[in-house]
Amino acid sequence: MTVPQTTFGSPEALMRDADLAQLHETWSRPRGLWGWLVTTNHKDIAERYIVTAFIFFILAGILAVIMRIQLAVPENHFVGPDLYNQIFTVHGTTMMFLFAVPIMEAFALYLVPLMVGTRNVAFPRLNAFGYFTYLAGGLQLWGALLANTGPDTGWFAYVPLSGPAFAPGKRVDVWADMVTTTEISALVGAVEIIVTVFKQRAVGMSLNRIPVYVWAMVVTSFMIIFAMPAVMTASGFLPMDRMPHVNTHFFNPAEGGDALLYQHVFWFFGHPEVYIIFIPATGFVSTIITTFSRRPIFGYIPIILSLIATGFIGFGLWVHHMFATPVPNLGQSFFTAASMMIAIPAGVQIFCWIATLWGGKPVLKMPLVWVLGFIALFVLGGLTGIMLASIPIDLQVHDTYFVVAHFHYVLIGGAVFPLFGAVYYWFPKMTGRMMSEKLGLWHFWLFFIGFNMTFFPMHLLGLHGMTRRIYTYLPETGWGMLNHIASSGALFMGLGVLVFLYNALVSMRRGEVAGENPWGAATLEWTTTSPPPKYNYALLPTVRGRYPLWENFAQTPLVSGLSTDKREVLSTSILDAQPEHRYEIGTDSILPLLMGIVTGIFFVVLVFTPWIVPICAGGWFVVMAIWFWIGTGQPQEKHKAHEYHEPRSPGEPGLSLGSDANPSPQT
C-alpha cells in the first residue's frame, strides 16, 4: 500500500497521455452493432431508457389524441367501443408502466453515478438486463394492441371485470405479464441506485452532503423495492385465476376468494406509484431552483426529511382509492387522515423552494420556467387531492372525470413539467449542446395552455356527472362544449411536444456548444466534459461540502491509483464515504441481452401455456451459469495502477491507491 500523496489539478493534466488512452480503451464499448448490444456503461443504458420511454410517451400521446377526437362531439363514431377500450387501457398502461417510472429511473441511472463521483453503477450487467426486460414488456403490450389483442379493462384491470367470466381471450393476460416484466426492470434500477449511492460515493460525500436529487432517488428506489412486489403479486395471481391449467380462485368469491383483495394489493402499489413518479420530480425541482437562484437550497435537512416522510406516508393511504367499496368506517377515517397528512411534506418542500427563490437572484432560463409552471399546476392538483380525501366528496365524484382531471394535474403537472425542465437542464451535459431557448418558450406555452384547456374542463365535466370509461355520450347531457375545449387543448399539447422534439433533434447537431458547466451549477456531474467520457472521471473527485463546485473545487484533492486496464471503482463507507477498497466491476457482455430474450420469450409464451416455465428455466440456468462462471472478465495479468504526485497546496490531504490485489486505501 502506497503512502497517500496530495493530488490536485485537472485529471487530464495530471495523467500521462498513454494512461488516458488506455483508460479510454478499457472503458469504451466495441464498435458497431455488437458494441451496441453488449455495452454495460450506465450512460449508454440510461440513454436507451430515455429514448425508449419518450417513444412510448409519444405513442401514448397519440392514443390520447384519438380518445379526445372521439369525445370531442356527442355521438361520435371515430372509433368503436371495443377499440376505444383497448386504446384507453393501453394509454394508461403505457404512461404508468412504460413511461413515468422508467423515465425517472433512466435519468437517475445516467446522473447518479456522475453526481456521486463514480465511474459506473454497481452492477452494470444487471443494469443492461433491466433495460432489455423493459423493452420486452413494452413490445409485448404494443404488439398485442397492433394485433387487436390489446388489454381492454383499464390500466388497473379490476376483477371481476378482468376475470375469466367477463374478459375471455388473452387480452388481460397480456396486460398482467407485461406488468410483471416491466416491474422486474424497475426493481433492477432501484437496486442499482441504492447500492451505487451507498457504496460508491466520492470520498468525503457523507450522508449530509449528498445532493438533494440523489436523496430523492434513494427514497424512490426504496419505495420501488417495497411497492413493486405488490403489483407483481396482483399481476401473478390474476393470470393464475384465468388459466384453465392452473385454475386458482384468489379473486373469485364463489370459491372462497375475495375481489377486494385485488384492489388492496394493486393500490398498495398504485398509490406509492404516484410518489415514485413525483419524488424524483421534486429532486429535479430542488436542483434546478438551487442552480438558477445562485444560492444553496433553503432548508436542506427539512427537504430531505420531507422526502423520507413522503416515502413512509405514501404507503399508508392506498384505501382512499377504495372509499366507494365496503371498507369499515374506522378504517376509512385513518386513510382520510393519511391522505391529508401527505400534503404536509409536499408543502414543506414548496415553501423551501419559494424561500430559495426569494432569497436568491433567480435567472429565468428554460429549466426554471418549467419549474415555475410545475409549482402552479401541482398546487392545484394537490388541492383537488385534499378534496378527494373527504369521503362525502369522493363518493360524489368517484369514477367521474373529476378524478381524471386531478390525476393528470398531479402526474403531468407534478412530474412531466419538472421532467421537461430536467431535459433542458441536463441536455447540455448529455449532448454537449444547448437547446434553443426560443423554441423552448414555444414548447412551454403550447404545452401549458393546452394542458389547462384539456384537463381543467374535466373538473367541471366530472361535477356535471360525466363518468370515466365511456366512449360516447348523448347531446342532451350538455357535455359537448367542455369536451370540445378539452379536445382542442390536447392538440395544443401535441403541438408543444412536436416543437420539443424538433428542438431536441436540431440542437443535438447544431445547438450552441455547451462547455463543461454552462449553468454555473454546483454538483459533481458538471466537472466532467460534456458529454462525459466513458469512464466519467479520469481521477475520482473528493468533496468537502454539499455544493462542491461552489466551494473552491479546484483546490480539492483528487483520487489516483485506480487501474487503467481494468474497470475499477472505489468502494466507500456508507455513513461518511471513507475509502474502503477498490472493486472491479463487470465488463461488456452479451449475457444481459440473452437473459432478456429468455425472459421476454417466457412472458410472451406464458400467455398461452404454462409449459414454457420449465423450458425457460433451463435457459435461465444456462445463461446464469455462464454469467457467474466468467465473473467480471478481469485480465490474467495485473498491471500496476499509476500514481500521480503533483502537489499544488502543501498540507492538503490527498489520496493515492496502491496496486495491491485488494488494498485498503487511507486518507
Side-chain angles (χ1 to χ4, degrees):
M1 184 67 198
T2 60
V3 178
Q5 300 290 331
T6 305
T7 304
F8 292 91
S10 167
E12 288 72 19
L14 295 174
M15 293 185 70
R16 290 186 287 269
D17 291 341
D19 298 323
L20 278 173
Q22 186 180 49
L23 188 64
H24 179 79
E25 180 181 358
T26 299
W27 285 87
S28 295
R29 72 187 189 197
R31 294 183 178 181
L33 177 61
W34 178 256
W36 190 89
L37 294 175
V38 303
T39 182
T40 55
N41 187 282
H42 75 98
K43 297 182 293 295
D44 294 336
I45 303 302
E47 287 171 353
R48 292 178 192 175
Y49 267 116
I50 292 171
V51 171
T52 308
F54 266 112
I55 290 173
F56 284 130
F57 174 71
I58 293 168
L59 292 174
I62 292 172
L63 297 184
V65 170
I66 294 173
M67 285 190 289
R68 289 315 317 168
I69 293 174
Q70 169 63 22
L71 295 172
V73 295
E75 296 186 325
N76 198 357
H77 299 286
F78 183 68
V79 295
D82 180 67
L83 181 58
Y84 186 87
N85 285 342
Q86 293 184 63
I87 286 174
F88 88 74
T89 301
V90 174
H91 164 77
T93 302
T94 300
M95 285 298 193
M96 297 300 292
F97 294 103
L98 298 179
F99 170 69
V101 174
I103 195 71
M104 294 303 182
E105 284 197 312
F107 270 85
L109 291 171
Y110 190 102
L111 295 170
V112 165
L114 290 165
M115 296 180 85
V116 302
T118 189
R119 288 177 171 174
N120 205 346
V121 292
F123 311 113
R125 293 180 181 178
L126 182 65
N127 190 31
F129 165 70
Y131 170 77
F132 290 121
T133 57
Y134 161 68
L135 180 62
L139 293 177
Q140 181 182 13
L141 177 68
W142 277 85
L145 177 64
L146 295 176
N148 196 32
T149 317
D152 57 355
T153 55
W155 74 273
F156 33 77
Y158 280 165
V159 295
L161 181 64
S162 60
F166 296 95
K170 300 298 182 183
R171 292 180 172 184
V172 174
D173 300 292
V174 169
W175 178 90
D177 286 350
M178 182 282 307
V179 168
T180 306
T181 308
T182 54
E183 299 318 325
I184 291 172
S185 172
L187 289 168
V188 165
V191 170
E192 296 286 356
I193 293 165
I194 290 172
V195 179
T196 301
V197 172
F198 283 157
K199 293 303 298 177
Q200 292 181 207
R201 298 197 309 278
V203 175
M205 187 180 283
S206 54
L207 292 181
N208 64 339
R209 294 175 178 174
I210 295 177
V212 174
Y213 172 71
V214 177
W215 265 119
M217 289 313 306
V218 169
V219 173
T220 300
S221 299
F222 275 108
M223 293 185 72
I224 288 173
I225 287 177
F226 284 99
M228 296 307 176
V231 73
M232 294 171 74
T233 299
S235 64
F237 285 176
L238 181 58
M240 291 170 67
D241 276 9
R242 295 172 51 84
M243 287 181 179
H245 294 88
V246 181
N247 200 29
T248 56
H249 299 282
F250 292 107
F251 310 126
N252 182 4
E255 298 291 341
D258 188 354
L260 282 186
L261 172 63
Y262 179 90
Q263 290 195 37
H264 281 291
V265 176
F266 182 86
W267 287 117
F268 185 80
F269 141 84
H271 204 84
E273 164 94 336
V274 174
Y275 296 102
I276 287 169
I277 298 167
F278 171 68
I279 289 177
T282 65
F284 293 150
V285 171
S286 295
T287 302
I288 291 170
I289 285 179
T290 299
T291 296
F292 292 101
S293 296
R294 298 294 188 258
R295 58 154 292 174
I297 192 75
F298 178 87
Y300 173 89
I301 297 298
I303 283 183
I304 303 305
L305 293 178
S306 69
L307 292 172
I308 297 172
T310 301
F312 276 102
I313 299 172
F315 280 94
L317 42 78
W318 78 89
V319 173
H320 84 208
H321 294 270
M322 302 170 57
F323 283 158
T325 64
V327 177
N329 291 336
L330 182 60
Q332 290 182 351
S333 64
F334 283 120
F335 285 99
T336 294
S339 300
M340 295 183 177
M341 188 187 304
I342 196 73
I344 296 174
V348 169
Q349 293 184 75
I350 290 174
F351 280 113
C352 288
W353 295 330
I354 293 174
T356 304
L357 290 167
W358 189 270
K361 297 179 179 179
V363 179
L364 197 62
K365 296 291 186 179
M366 279 315 304
L368 186 59
V369 170
W370 284 98
V371 164
L372 296 177
F374 148 80
I375 292 176
L377 297 178
F378 181 73
V379 168
L380 181 57
L383 290 175
T384 56
I386 296 298
M387 293 171 64
L388 291 171
S390 171
I391 295 175
I393 295 177
D394 183 87
L395 290 175
Q396 293 300 315
V397 299
H398 180 76
D399 217 21
T400 71
Y401 265 80
F402 188 92
V403 177
V404 176
H406 159 72
F407 188 70
H408 285 84
Y409 263 88
V410 170
L411 287 184
I412 296 183
V416 175
F417 271 72
L419 177 63
F420 279 129
V423 172
Y424 282 90
Y425 182 72
W426 279 292
F427 187 88
K429 175 52 57 181
M430 296 179 179
T431 66
R433 303 275 182 173
M434 303 291 291
M435 295 185 74
S436 167
E437 291 277 320
K438 183 177 180 180
L439 289 176
L441 284 173
W442 275 100
H443 171 208
F444 173 80
W445 285 113
L446 283 170
F447 200 84
F448 184 84
I449 294 171
F451 172 81
N452 285 286
M453 285 179 61
T454 301
F455 295 107
F456 190 83
M458 292 185 186
H459 293 99
L460 303 178
L461 286 168
L463 294 175
H464 290 166
M466 183 174 177
T467 58
R468 304 165 65 186
R469 302 187 290 280
I470 58 172
Y471 90 104
T472 191
Y473 52 93
L474 296 174
E476 292 79 10
T477 59
W479 302 336
M481 180 58 70
L482 291 173
N483 271 301
H484 190 75
I485 295 172
S487 297
S488 301
L491 296 178
F492 275 92
M493 292 177 69
L495 287 175
V497 173
L498 289 177
V499 172
F500 164 73
L501 292 174
Y502 176 79
N503 192 1
L505 294 174
V506 171
S507 298
M508 282 184 192
R509 294 180 175 269
R510 300 200 298 268
E512 178 187 350
V513 176
E516 291 185 3
N517 190 4
W519 307 123
T523 43
L524 284 179
E525 77 271 23
W526 298 103
T527 63
T528 66
T529 59
S530 300
K534 295 297 183 183
Y535 45 82
N536 291 349
Y537 300 97
L539 300 177
L540 299 185
T542 63
V543 299
R544 292 182 288 191
R546 292 173 184 163
Y547 306 96
L549 270 69
W550 290 351
E551 298 166 353
N552 196 17
F553 184 75
Q555 295 300 314
T556 302
L558 300 172
V559 177
S560 65
L562 290 180
S563 175
T564 59
D565 60 359
K566 297 192 295 288
R567 295 190 178 184
E568 285 188 342
V569 296
L570 179 64
S571 178
T572 54
S573 61
I574 293 177
L575 292 179
D576 297 321
Q578 293 303 306
E580 291 182 336
H581 61 275
R582 299 184 303 183
Y583 174 70
E584 184 179 354
I585 60 175
T587 55
D588 296 334
S589 173
I590 195 65
L591 294 174
L593 174 59
L594 297 179
M595 185 70 80
I597 290 174
V598 174
T599 304
I601 291 173
F602 170 77
F603 283 108
V604 170
V605 180
L606 187 62
V607 171
F608 304 97
T609 175
W611 293 109
I612 192 63
V613 175
I615 297 174
C616 283
W620 284 321
F621 177 81
V622 171
V623 176
M624 292 181 68
I626 300 172
W627 189 318
F628 293 124
W629 178 264
I630 64 175
T632 58
Q634 64 182 19
Q636 295 297 318
E637 181 181 1
K638 295 184 179 293
H639 299 280
K640 179 179 175 61
H642 297 281
E643 303 159 16
Y644 306 92
H645 313 305
E646 296 187 16
R648 300 198 316 180
S649 296
E652 291 283 354
L655 181 62
S656 177
L657 309 182
S659 59
D660 304 54
N662 189 23
S664 298
Q666 302 172 0
T667 336

